[in-house]
Amino acid sequence: MVSPKQDPPSAEGLNSVEAEFVAFFVQMATALSLPRSVGEIFGYLFCADEPKPFDEVVSRLGISKGSASQGLKFLLSMGAISTVYVPRDRRTFYEAETKMRKLFSRALQESVRPHLEANGRLIDAIEEHIDRSQDHESLEEHYRARAASLKGWNDKALQLLPLLDKLISVPVPSFPFKFFGGDSSGENGKPKTPPAKPGKP
Amino acid sequence: MVSPKQDPPSAEGLNSVEAEFVAFFVQMATALSLPRSVGEIFGYLFCADEPKPFDEVVSRLGISKGSASQGLKFLLSMGAISTVYVPRDRRTFYEAETKMRKLFSRALQESVRPHLEANGRLIDAIEEHIDRSQDHESLEEHYRARAASLKGWNDKALQLLPLLDKLISVPVPSFPFKFFGGDSSGENGKPKTPPAKPGKP
DNA sequence: TCCAGAGTTCAATATATTTTGAACCAAATA
DNA sequence: TATTTGGTTCAAAATATATTGAACTCTGGA
């Protein structure tokens, strides 16, 4: 399905393994309706063994500086990547967050929760409209019931968020019958040594 | 923020409560990156007290027949609405699924699971590429590790699906320390009586 | 101070998605 | 059989989104 071996050694274009990782995250991005370029960038950084500088993202992926800049900014804002400072190199290096738990957790907090909270406010608005308007006669009760159902589910979702957060850090094959136990795949306090001058051979 | 009272009695346009429900689901649809029209249609049907026919969806929402047809088809395919047969009326009537649990459950099965399964196949493809290609020297081990991490998380997600499904049917305020208990908000075997000739006054 | 490199911004362009509406089909009715 | 009604299809138009690339800013030398 994909062509033979022979990986271009570096510098321009991706080797076949990188290309597959990138394809994976492009598909992921598509599923989440994010731009392709975001998937490409994350995929490239995810499979890299060292932090990579801006210009390498641009040249290896063959995308424009503009796209790279915007995509990196977005990924930073999501907490999906972070910058790495490399002494004696003016460029900023980027590395992917590879702890999926963190990614997921953060998405829950930064994307899902705000949406649910906004929903809550919209539901309040609905209820106010039901109060304010007459000539619904028999419908008024029905409207109230529907609004209440919406509110119930929204609240439920909000309450489930922290539980979900706990759930994903439980080692799966043993189903979680006690929740607040330790996290198996926990943090390692590695002091984040910058790599020994990577990139630009 | 929204203008006074005085609801247009019917026939054309929405009353102010309907308008708010529709706005809510439009925002919901946007969050899920679905077309506005899908949100409008679902919102209209969700707040209706009886099943509504195609032509009313069109005229009340002021969208084209094409949009309505496609949106309804989509919502049917998601199981978010269903058709209702009304004797002595050629039109098909639609009603929203108001049991959120069903909606959610179904989305998990029909949308999330297939994506995860596709991901699994893509990860296999990555691993095959790692096998096939040489000249990665020291990188090969790193690639394998990254691929393994991906596979691990994907499998975990797949395993969590049924648990999630259970979770949402648990009454929330009492946290779930036993999972396989009964479902409080369970099915009611109502025999689905068609409404007494609604619509078209 | 000037220059070169790194990166950002943003208007223009390219792409993708939604919506419309006219043409069409099929079933019920005249 | 012809007509009307209910609804679908699909190509074209309208909108929305992503990408590019040229102009720009900023910083660190020389």
Side-chain angles (χ1 to χ4, degrees):
Chain A
M1 214 156 275
V2 195
S3 39
K5 28 200 145 180
Q6 195 62 288
D7 294 345
S10 223
E12 206 76 357
L14 304 173
N15 72 42
S16 78
V17 174
E18 288 172 320
E20 290 296 310
F21 272 103
V22 166
F24 177 87
F25 284 103
V26 163
Q27 129 89 348
M28 199 100 199
T30 306
L32 298 168
S33 37
L34 296 173
R36 290 179 97 67
S37 60
V38 165
E40 296 177 309
I41 296 169
F42 186 80
Y44 175 60
L45 294 176
F46 181 90
C47 93
D49 64 328
E50 294 179 324
K52 295 294 185 188
F54 183 87
D55 59 305
E56 243 176 79
V57 171
V58 169
S59 64
R60 302 291 303 282
L61 289 173
I63 63 182
S64 69
K65 286 201 296 171
S67 273
S69 179
Q70 304 232 103
L72 288 165
K73 197 194 328 179
F74 172 81
L75 286 166
L76 279 173
S77 84
M78 298 297 299
I81 64 175
S82 47
T83 57
V84 174
Y85 168 67
V86 174
R88 334 217 78 255
D89 197 320
R90 278 177 65 194
R91 300 171 298 173
T92 24
F93 289 69
Y94 298 89
E95 73 180 353
E97 172 61 69
T98 52
K99 298 194 214 72
M100 296 286 159
R101 196 178 64 70
K102 273 204 179 160
L103 277 178
F104 185 81
S105 229
R106 182 145 182 168
L108 241 45
Q109 289 307 310
E110 318 262 301
S111 304
V112 181
R113 178 181 292 281
H115 267 125
L116 292 177
E117 282 162 355
N119 279 355
R121 289 189 289 278
L122 279 180
I123 295 170
D124 291 344
I126 294 176
E127 289 178 333
E128 274 169 40
H129 272 265
I130 299 174
D131 294 342
R132 238 201 289 299
S133 71
Q134 35 271 148
D135 61 11
H136 294 317
E137 290 125 51
S138 54
L139 252 44
E140 172 157 348
E141 273 321 291
H142 173 258
Y143 286 156
R144 283 197 195 288
R146 285 288 146 93
S149 151
L150 239 38
K151 196 205 268 295
W153 278 96
N154 200 63
D155 291 352
K156 181 166 188 163
L158 271 171
Q159 290 190 267
L160 278 181
L161 281 189
L163 182 55
L164 259 193
D165 209 65
K166 280 274 175 327
L167 258 194
I168 54 158
S169 53
V170 162
V172 160
S174 70
F175 263 9
F177 277 104
K178 47 136 178 95
F179 280 116
F180 302 94
D183 173 5
S184 67
S185 64
E187 319 300 272
N188 55 357
K190 177 178 55 173
K192 174 86 77 188
T193 317
K197 180 74 167 171
K200 217 172 219 174
Chain B
M1 213 155 276
V2 194
S3 38
K5 26 202 144 180
Q6 195 61 287
D7 294 346
S10 224
E12 206 77 358
L14 304 173
N15 72 41
S16 78
V17 174
E18 289 173 321
E20 291 295 310
F21 272 103
V22 166
F24 176 86
F25 283 104
V26 163
Q27 129 89 347
M28 198 100 198
T30 307
L32 298 168
S33 36
L34 295 173
R36 287 180 100 67
S37 59
V38 165
E40 296 178 307
I41 296 169
F42 186 80
Y44 175 61
L45 294 177
F46 181 89
C47 94
D49 65 326
E50 293 179 324
K52 296 294 184 186
F54 182 88
D55 59 306
E56 242 178 78
V57 171
V58 169
S59 64
R60 303 290 304 282
L61 289 172
I63 62 182
S64 68
K65 287 201 295 173
S67 274
S69 178
Q70 304 231 104
L72 288 166
K73 197 198 324 181
F74 173 80
L75 287 165
L76 279 173
S77 83
M78 301 293 301
I81 64 175
S82 48
T83 57
V84 174
Y85 168 68
V86 174
R88 336 216 76 254
D89 197 321
R90 276 178 66 197
R91 300 171 299 174
T92 26
F93 288 69
Y94 297 89
E95 75 181 350
E97 172 61 69
T98 52
K99 298 194 216 71
M100 295 287 159
R101 198 178 64 70
K102 272 203 180 159
L103 276 178
F104 185 81
S105 231
R106 182 145 180 169
L108 240 45
Q109 288 308 310
E110 318 261 301
S111 304
V112 181
R113 179 181 291 283
H115 268 127
L116 292 177
E117 282 163 353
N119 279 354
R121 289 188 289 278
L122 278 181
I123 295 170
D124 291 343
I126 294 178
E127 289 179 332
E128 274 169 40
H129 271 265
I130 299 175
D131 294 341
R132 239 199 289 298
S133 71
Q134 35 271 149
D135 61 9
H136 293 317
E137 289 125 53
S138 54
L139 253 45
E140 172 157 349
E141 272 321 291
H142 173 258
Y143 285 156
R144 282 195 197 290
R146 284 288 146 92
S149 152
L150 239 39
K151 196 205 268 299
W153 279 95
N154 200 63
D155 290 353
K156 181 166 188 164
L158 232 29
Q159 288 189 269
L160 278 180
L161 282 190
L163 182 55
L164 258 193
D165 209 63
K166 280 275 175 329
L167 258 194
I168 55 160
S169 53
V170 162
V172 159
S174 71
F175 263 8
F177 278 104
K178 48 138 178 84
F179 282 115
F180 303 93
D183 172 6
S184 67
S185 63
E187 318 301 275
N188 56 357
K190 176 178 58 174
K192 174 88 75 190
T193 316
K197 178 76 168 171
K200 219 171 216 175

